[in-house]
Amino acid sequence: DAGVTQSPTHLIKTRGQQVTLRCSPISGHKSVSWYQQVLGQGPQFIFQYYEKEERGRGNFPDRFSARQFPNYSSELNVNALLLGDSALYLCASSSPGQGLEQYFGPGTRLTVT
Amino acid sequence: SQQGEEDPQALSIQEGENATMNCSYKTSINNLQWYRQNSGRGLVHLILIRSNEREKHSGRLRVTLDTSKKSSSLLITASRAADTASYFCATDTFYNQGGKLIFGQGTELSVKP
């Protein structure tokens, strides 16, 4: 079975630009969560979506938004990029009926110059 | 903000030795999980321990949980060079089961052959 996939793998953007990151969960998983991991730190929660509805939001500005599609894939959008948005963006999927573990994708490395 | 702190921040041992990492957290939890991350890639789930459990084993891994001290430890026995990675503890609360995970800052483990 395919794990969580994310695209693109790497991305370089300029300050002020907008970026869209994509995530496909494990087949059968209906919950997707997004995390930001700055170098040298642990991941920080951004959003959780379950059955296409936002179920949780971390302490991130409104420049960050996300959505989940009918096939449970998800997009994370970040507008007006700042240098501080440079990070590894991780997507995780889970299935409440199959335990509480979250399965992470390989991440998208975003560099803002 | 980070929920907890891992101790030590970095650990260097020889192959065959045991590695112990500690995690402390601030608020009451529902579950505590440990994840491994290799070279800034995606996180791999290692083990989950529920708040009503005190100890759990999985292969060479042993996790303990002391809810009165709000702390957990991860023991890796007979370490191998392939265990070299960053290790994170993550907690979820009764109100965010299976969704929002709060990570510590991680312990960087180096196992020398």
Side-chain angles (χ1 to χ4, degrees):
Chain A
D1 286 343
V4 177
T5 59
Q6 292 185 244
S7 63
T9 304
H10 295 87
L11 203 52
I12 299 174
K13 290 285 189 177
T14 304
R15 276 177 297 177
Q17 286 188 318
Q18 174 264 340
V19 68
T20 299
L21 311 181
R22 296 176 176 82
C23 171
S24 291
I26 291 172
S27 178
H29 285 190
K30 299 180 180 180
S31 177
V32 170
S33 297
W34 287 95
Y35 294 82
Q36 180 197 64
Q37 186 179 23
V38 174
L39 194 64
Q41 297 188 16
Q44 290 216 354
F45 173 78
I46 309 175
F47 285 111
Q48 184 209 2
Y49 276 78
Y50 178 70
E51 288 278 17
K52 301 180 288 293
E53 290 188 4
E54 182 182 305
R55 290 296 184 92
R57 184 186 182 110
N59 188 23
F60 281 81
D62 291 344
R63 298 185 297 106
F64 288 76
S65 64
R67 54 180 175 168
Q68 187 176 32
F69 299 98
N71 66 353
Y72 303 110
S73 67
S74 177
E75 286 183 352
L76 175 70
N77 295 284
V78 186
N79 295 322
L81 285 167
L82 304 174
L83 294 179
D85 295 331
S86 296
L88 180 68
Y89 288 85
L90 295 161
C91 171
S93 75
S94 62
S95 180
Q98 297 180 13
L100 298 169
E101 298 89 346
Q102 293 195 19
Y103 297 87
F104 283 80
T108 294
R109 173 73 63 188
L110 172 65
T111 302
V112 182
T113 62
Chain B
S1 62
Q2 306 278 295
Q3 156 77 301
E5 296 183 1
E6 272 100 337
D7 168 49
Q9 289 188 332
L11 180 61
S12 182
I13 59 174
Q14 296 294 132
E15 243 184 350
E17 294 180 338
N18 295 342
T20 300
M21 289 159 268
N22 303 296
C23 165
S24 61
Y25 55 91
K26 298 174 184 174
T27 62
S28 295
I29 64 169
N30 191 42
N31 306 283
L32 185 143
Q33 305 181 47
W34 284 89
Y35 287 83
R36 184 186 74 222
Q37 185 177 40
N38 290 86
S39 301
R41 299 169 63 94
L43 283 81
V44 174
H45 182 266
L46 296 176
I47 196 166
L48 179 151
I49 187 166
R50 300 180 188 275
S51 59
N52 61 355
E53 297 176 312
R54 293 296 168 257
E55 187 170 314
K56 205 161 184 180
H57 297 255
S58 177
R60 293 184 297 113
L61 306 179
R62 172 179 169 252
V63 169
T64 61
L65 178 64
D66 186 336
T67 53
S68 67
K69 295 181 179 178
K70 292 188 170 58
S71 66
S72 174
S73 67
L74 170 67
L75 169 67
I76 304 174
T77 60
S79 62
R80 307 165 182 168
D83 294 329
T84 295
S86 293
Y87 291 82
F88 295 91
C89 67
T91 57
D92 66 77
T93 69
F94 290 102
Y95 303 103
N96 290 289
Q97 294 183 43
K100 175 182 178 179
L101 288 179
I102 304 177
F103 286 83
Q105 297 199 354
T107 292
E108 194 173 325
L109 174 65
S110 175
V111 182
K112 301 185 187 307

